[in-house]
Amino acid sequence: MCGIAGIAALSARAQISEPDVDVRRMLLALRHRGPDDSGVYLDPHGRIGLGHTRLSIIDLAGGVQPMPNEDQTVWVSFNGEIFNYIELREVLQKTGHRFSTHSDTEVIVHAYEQYGDDFVQYLNGQFAIALWDAHRQRLLLVRDRVGILPLFYTCQGERLLFASEIKALLPLLAEAPRISPTALDQIFTFWAPRSPNTLFEGIFEVPPGYLMVLENGHLHESMYWDWRFPEQDDYLPGSDAELAERLYELLADATRIRLRADVPIGAYLSGGLDSSALVALIRHHSAAPLKTFSIGFGDKALDESAFQQQLVEHLGVDYRRVFCHNRDIAEDFPATVFHAETAILRTAPTPMRRLSGLVRASGYKVVLTGEGADEALGGYDLFKEAKIRQFWARHPQSEWRPLLLKALYPYLETAGAQAKTYLRNFYGIGLDHPDQPGFSHLTRWFTTAQCKVFFSPELSAALREDAVAQLTGQLPPAFERWHPFNRAQYLEAKTLLGGYLLCSQGDRMLMANSVEGRFPFLDHRVIEFANRLHPRLKMRALNEKFLLKQAMATYLPWQILERHKQPYRAPDIPAFFSAAPPAYVDDLLSAEKLKRYGYFDAKKVSFLLNKARRGHAIAYKDNMALVGILSTQLCHDYFIERFSRTIRELNTRFRGSTQGQP
Amino acid sequence: MSIKQTIRRYVLENFLFTDDDSALQDGDSFLAGGIIDSTGVLEIMLFIEETYDIKVEDEEMLPENLDSIDNLVAFVQRKQAVAA
């Protein structure tokens, strides 16, 4: 994978000054994404500068970017992979296009020539693309369908700046950015800012599934793909067995084309169903030796080593593991936040960065990973909870109500009468309006939003609109015609998947160590197929990912198929407070810094800190609040308080070539 | 400090993160106010067990014992009376 960056003139006749110097400054900040090479293209009329830093994976010798078409009227800078490039190349060659390399990048250039803006519909892959059409003087910025790869932009006077990460925009800003109150409100509700927002005011992302065009001084965007579900019960016909077979074939092909690379490929293995299924698929569709990479925790409640070991033995694959202690997480957390470039409510990205470090240290730069199966095929506990709460709302007197809870939480530690009382209270949220659009997610959003009690009066006063009302007011018109289960899937894809899992916990943690992740479950053919399945094939009663288990039944040990789903988590408060915390924690959570930065109420935070130090902060919301507050303070520290120094540190030397003019 | 003052202060500081006495009335339900969830009730239980050297049985973990300042105070006093 790679990093892209660029500058374009916003108004129709303007020229940009010093594009070469500035694009190079941007690329310096992205060096971790592409350590192998870099390049810049400058438009002869000063309309645009395009930059690229490269991590070489396909066509190691020929894939240098930015890359032009035959007559150098179309230039592309591209981060990602087009997995169907071989098939697409054949089609394009038949229509007369001449290729001068064997890279997937060149396919983009010719596909644009052939299909215009519709070219993106032909791509199967993960991508952030900047394409300059010199003939028509237009810039295209395109992001993949679900948001695997990032692309940010900001308008600065006469210039549009765009880059793979926010940190590449910073060196060109006249002053430090400001943290957006709206973004904090959204993070402390949905776990992430809502696209196109980022943590920072005036800095936006190109939303997943969108194409943005700058032409004649106008910037406009359009959606080219979205999660869609049947509106009139027109689900896919067929028996369970037939549909399971079709799912298997699709997953096998999605995996097969993701094994295309000129370097060896590894796989993440958590020990859960999805990564196990993926490793089994690779094993059955590739003869190459496979190395798997896993995380282990000292906390037995979080550790999945036994399941990892079981699968490794079952499939006979090579296995490496990184072990995460509380102290490692506390010490690595600042760097995690620096790479994530946003406030986060969990430490879970930190072990993911250590894991990509292990991959890199093992001589690998590509891994396949199982993200997306829970969203596409129906795996989350939240989907079960929503199903139970729907049932409760419709059958308020049913004797089954307490039994359903027990089925959902067989491992629940709290016992007896109180557990039932409190859970009934919790899951009762929103029961009076089971048809409201956010119903499935109200429990999570309500719990998370309780962390806002720590907001300072000034921050609270700056908030105008209710985050949940705003989200539910912007859903697609068809939403209300979808099955409640599909509505929950849509909300999950649009909040947590795109806003947190694929970026803060995904791309940014992989790229911090120059490792590319590939996601077969997020192949759009898999998603489109899954979206047409009846919800009972995803959640059969309370059995999650039913059809995936059917599809994989003969390839996996029963212990993996039947284990209760364990969400991936890392220690949060215990990581910092089971021993004396690192100095930065006390410093950033001191009354002085809390007051000066201004986002949180110093006194309230001091009570939370006391609780954490005594080891009494065990509630989810206390853990989310503390990690959220600390990461917000870290963002302010890096990107605002020490803005100049951070830029200076990003600005170290980096070699590369320039194409075009001047 | 009286039992009520101690418990009040604990609940205010640990669940409402404030020392403002007006934030909570003695009869307010923790549950209805969203102040305490299922993990919070475990924290309260541990607190009164440690502070008052009593043992809370599973079947005693009911809202009528634990769901407001008044209920908690009455519960602790009953347990202490039984133990004495």
Side-chain angles (χ1 to χ4, degrees):
Chain A
M1 226 152 8
C2 312
I4 66 174
I7 305 170
L10 264 175
S11 63
R13 262 169 284 284
Q15 288 198 346
I16 43 175
S17 57
E18 298 201 41
D20 192 20
V21 175
D22 281 350
V23 172
R24 288 199 175 281
R25 287 175 70 198
M26 298 174 86
L27 291 178
L28 285 174
L30 298 176
R31 207 176 15 168
H32 54 281
R33 298 186 71 90
D36 297 333
D37 200 358
S38 84
V40 172
Y41 165 74
L42 300 173
D43 171 58
H45 308 290
R47 301 285 300 153
I48 187 163
L50 272 183
H52 187 262
T53 62
R54 183 175 186 218
L55 179 66
S56 322
I57 289 171
I58 292 178
D59 192 3
L60 305 185
V64 176
Q65 293 189 48
M67 185 181 283
N69 63 346
E70 297 94 328
D71 61 2
Q72 307 211 339
T73 54
V74 175
W75 286 82
V76 69
S77 181
F78 153 59
N79 168 205
E81 300 294 343
I82 308 302
F83 297 116
N84 64 339
Y85 74 102
I86 294 174
E87 294 79 5
L88 211 46
R89 183 187 160 96
E90 273 174 30
V91 172
L92 290 164
Q93 275 175 327
K94 277 185 195 145
T95 53
H97 293 270
R98 287 179 291 109
F99 283 75
S100 46
T101 74
H102 292 278
S103 78
D104 53 340
T105 311
E106 199 177 356
V107 166
I108 297 173
V109 177
H110 297 295
Y112 173 75
E113 290 181 303
Q114 184 67 30
Y115 306 115
D117 292 357
D118 276 346
F119 81 100
V120 64
Q121 303 287 356
Y122 294 81
L123 308 181
N124 183 335
Q126 52 197 45
F127 43 83
I129 300 168
L131 184 149
W132 172 245
D133 181 336
H135 185 62
R136 294 171 64 190
Q137 292 282 297
R138 68 201 293 264
L139 171 71
L140 252 67
L141 297 176
V142 191
R143 226 176 135 203
D144 64 60
R145 295 170 178 85
V146 292
I148 296 169
L149 294 189
L151 185 51
F152 298 98
Y153 67 94
T154 190
C155 295
Q156 185 207 44
E158 289 285 283
R159 310 199 295 181
L160 173 76
L161 312 176
F162 54 92
S164 297
E165 296 186 22
I166 292 170
K167 52 183 78 66
L169 305 176
L170 298 180
L172 302 195
L173 299 185
E175 56 185 27
R178 280 203 302 258
I179 288 183
S180 149
T182 303
L184 283 178
D185 191 31
Q186 292 172 347
I187 292 167
F188 283 88
T189 305
F190 309 120
W191 294 27
R194 278 187 55 218
S195 192
N197 290 340
T198 68
L199 180 66
F200 302 102
E201 276 177 10
I203 299 178
F204 303 97
E205 65 168 21
V206 177
Y210 273 72
L211 182 144
M212 214 165 85
V213 181
L214 174 63
E215 191 171 22
N216 298 324
H218 296 290
L219 195 58
H220 53 94
E221 58 175 30
S222 56
M223 183 167 68
Y224 70 86
W225 190 90
D226 199 10
W227 296 66
R228 288 285 176 255
F229 300 91
E231 294 174 39
Q232 290 160 344
D233 276 347
D234 47 340
Y235 298 103
L236 283 174
S239 68
D240 289 0
E242 286 162 8
L243 292 168
E245 196 180 321
R246 283 178 66 186
L247 176 61
Y248 181 88
E249 292 304 325
L250 260 177
L251 285 174
D253 194 59
T255 305
R256 185 182 59 81
I257 61 174
R258 278 165 184 75
L259 291 168
R260 290 174 170 171
D262 297 330
V263 296
I265 290 184
Y268 281 174
L269 175 64
S270 73
L273 175 67
D274 311 335
S275 62
S276 300
L278 183 56
V279 170
L281 282 163
I282 299 171
R283 208 77 196 91
H284 285 94
H285 295 274
S286 160
L290 178 63
K291 199 187 274 290
T292 64
F293 300 91
S294 302
I295 300 172
F297 290 109
D299 183 341
K300 290 287 158 243
L302 305 174
D303 188 68
E304 299 181 70
S305 302
F307 291 103
Q308 294 158 5
Q309 199 60 47
Q310 200 160 43
L311 197 83
V312 162
E313 283 164 19
H314 183 84
L315 293 173
V317 292
D318 195 9
Y319 172 63
R320 293 204 66 186
R321 188 172 69 152
V322 63
F323 202 80
C324 289
H325 300 279
N326 284 338
R327 189 79 200 173
D328 303 326
I329 292 173
E331 280 170 4
D332 279 1
F333 192 63
T336 298
V337 173
F338 178 73
H339 280 282
E341 309 179 307
T342 187
I344 47 181
L345 304 188
R346 293 216 160 158
T347 63
T350 305
M352 296 303 288
R353 195 166 63 84
R354 291 178 75 84
L355 184 61
S356 67
L358 174 69
V359 172
R360 192 69 187 183
S362 307
Y364 282 66
K365 46 186 177 181
V366 183
V367 285
L368 266 61
T369 163
E371 269 89 358
D374 285 323
E375 290 79 2
L377 293 160
Y380 284 119
D381 278 349
L382 192 76
F383 298 155
K384 285 187 201 176
E385 292 168 14
K387 204 169 166 177
I388 291 173
R389 288 167 55 240
Q390 287 280 355
F391 176 83
W392 280 18
R394 307 213 186 287
H395 308 278
Q397 303 308 324
S398 170
E399 291 171 18
W400 288 92
R401 290 173 55 153
L403 291 176
L404 285 171
L405 273 183
K406 204 158 178 235
L408 180 54
Y409 294 110
Y411 52 83
L412 204 70
E413 288 169 25
T414 52
Q418 70 89 15
K420 261 184 266 167
T421 309
Y422 287 93
L423 286 174
R424 193 175 295 151
N425 192 57
F426 179 66
Y427 291 114
I429 295 170
L431 284 200
D432 44 342
H433 293 103
D435 293 321
Q436 62 185 303
F439 179 80
S440 56
H441 284 64
L442 289 181
T443 46
R444 180 198 289 162
W445 296 341
F446 176 80
T447 309
T448 308
Q450 286 184 322
C451 299
K452 293 199 280 184
V453 71
F454 295 102
F455 281 6
S456 66
E458 299 74 32
L459 176 57
S460 301
L463 301 176
R464 296 274 172 271
E465 243 179 309
D466 177 63
V468 171
Q470 206 179 20
L471 165 67
T472 53
Q474 292 170 348
L475 293 166
F479 184 88
E480 59 185 33
R481 295 190 290 277
W482 297 339
H483 188 286
F485 193 89
N486 295 336
R487 290 186 216 164
Q489 285 185 277
Y490 186 83
L491 291 172
E492 194 63 14
K494 289 295 172 170
T495 54
L496 212 66
L497 178 68
Y500 169 75
L501 289 175
L502 292 178
C503 44
S504 299
Q505 196 169 299
D507 171 82
R508 246 42 56 76
M509 296 304 112
L510 288 155
M511 275 293 121
N513 289 304
S514 313
V515 173
E516 172 176 298
R518 296 180 174 186
F519 306 79
F521 287 106
L522 290 172
D523 185 308
H524 69 281
R525 297 170 304 167
V526 175
I527 297 176
E528 287 169 0
F529 173 79
N531 287 359
R532 294 192 57 210
L533 293 171
H534 194 282
R536 70 168 171 270
L537 292 165
K538 299 170 187 170
M539 189 76 72
R540 175 75 45 103
L542 292 180
N543 181 10
E544 76 275 6
K545 285 178 286 198
F546 173 79
L547 199 67
L548 177 61
K549 289 175 183 167
Q550 299 292 307
M552 298 307 299
T554 53
Y555 302 92
L556 292 174
W558 64 267
Q559 295 95 330
I560 300 279
L561 288 164
E562 290 182 10
R563 72 176 285 211
H564 192 85
K565 181 178 166 54
Q566 176 173 348
Y568 163 66
R569 283 199 63 185
D572 291 311
I573 283 181
F576 302 101
F577 290 96
S578 57
Y584 78 87
V585 176
D586 288 330
D587 176 46
L588 288 174
L589 299 182
S590 67
E592 187 268 320
K593 286 234 160 125
L594 287 163
K595 281 179 190 156
R596 187 145 58 80
Y597 293 2
Y599 311 109
F600 302 104
D601 182 315
K603 188 155 198 181
K604 287 185 174 170
V605 175
S606 75
F607 287 126
L608 177 62
L609 280 173
N610 288 341
K611 199 174 174 183
R613 288 197 186 99
R614 287 200 313 273
H616 283 190
I618 54 174
Y620 281 129
K621 59 182 178 185
D622 291 345
N623 280 272
M624 286 193 288
L626 192 120
V627 176
I629 293 165
L630 184 58
S631 58
T632 305
Q633 293 288 99
L634 279 163
C635 283
H636 186 100
D637 183 54
Y638 275 129
F639 301 115
I640 298 174
E641 176 112 323
R642 294 192 286 143
F643 176 68
S644 312
R645 184 173 139 192
T646 299
I647 290 174
R648 224 172 26 249
E649 285 170 0
L650 288 169
N651 203 15
T652 38
R653 285 185 63 79
F654 191 35
R655 288 179 336 126
S657 58
T658 301
Q659 301 177 71
Q661 295 286 324
Chain B
M1 253 194 303
S2 70
I3 294 177
K4 180 177 278 189
Q5 282 172 318
T6 307
I7 291 179
R8 255 194 94 74
R9 190 165 155 196
Y10 174 79
V11 172
L12 281 174
E13 290 186 359
N14 286 276
F15 296 99
L16 292 141
F17 305 100
T18 181
D19 51 10
D20 174 6
D21 259 325
S22 69
L24 184 69
Q25 303 303 308
D26 290 339
D28 286 353
S29 160
F30 301 155
L31 207 53
I35 295 165
I36 283 173
D37 60 12
S38 58
T39 50
V41 79
L42 286 181
E43 293 173 23
I44 287 198
M45 188 194 80
L46 287 171
F47 171 73
I48 59 171
E49 283 189 343
E50 281 172 18
T51 311
Y52 299 107
D53 196 23
I54 54 179
K55 174 88 183 83
V56 182
E57 304 298 336
D58 259 5
E59 59 272 20
E60 291 174 327
M61 292 184 56
L62 298 166
E64 45 269 46
N65 291 335
L66 306 176
D67 193 41
S68 68
I69 301 284
D70 283 339
N71 292 9
L72 271 169
V73 171
F75 177 62
V76 170
Q77 285 170 339
R78 270 202 311 279
K79 293 290 282 188
Q80 286 181 327
V82 172

